[in-house]
């Protein structure tokens, strides 16, 4: 996982790449021009996926 901040890994997992082929990295300076309200979000895994670790 390296020495990146948790936001780096979380944003890369949650957000898809935008029209400029980038995703947020958790750095306020680098992410300053990103509109998180319109940034594409990755779809959730299917309900029966092993990636869900909590039960509903």
């Amino acid at each position: 996982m390296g020495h990146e901040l948790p936001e780096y890994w979380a944003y890369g997992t949650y957000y898809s790449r935008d029209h400029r082929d980038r995703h947020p990295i958790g750095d306020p300076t680098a992410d300053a021009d990103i509109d998180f309200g319109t940034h594409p979000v990755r779809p959730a895994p299917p309900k029966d996926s092993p990636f869900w670790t909590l039960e509903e």
Side-chain angles (χ1 to χ4, degrees):
M1 293 293 257
H3 297 285
E4 301 293 344
L5 295 173
E7 290 85 355
Y8 176 86
W9 301 108
Y11 287 157
T13 302
Y14 183 74
Y15 290 105
S16 296
R17 294 188 176 273
D18 66 5
H19 66 282
R20 294 186 293 199
D21 197 34
R22 65 183 191 144
H23 58 80
I25 60 171
D27 180 289
T29 304
D31 296 345
D33 64 336
I34 295 176
D35 180 1
F36 286 90
T38 60
H39 202 85
V41 175
R42 294 180 191 270
K47 293 279 185 189
D48 59 349
S49 170
F51 294 109
W52 291 109
T53 57
L54 301 174
E55 294 189 25
E56 289 187 63

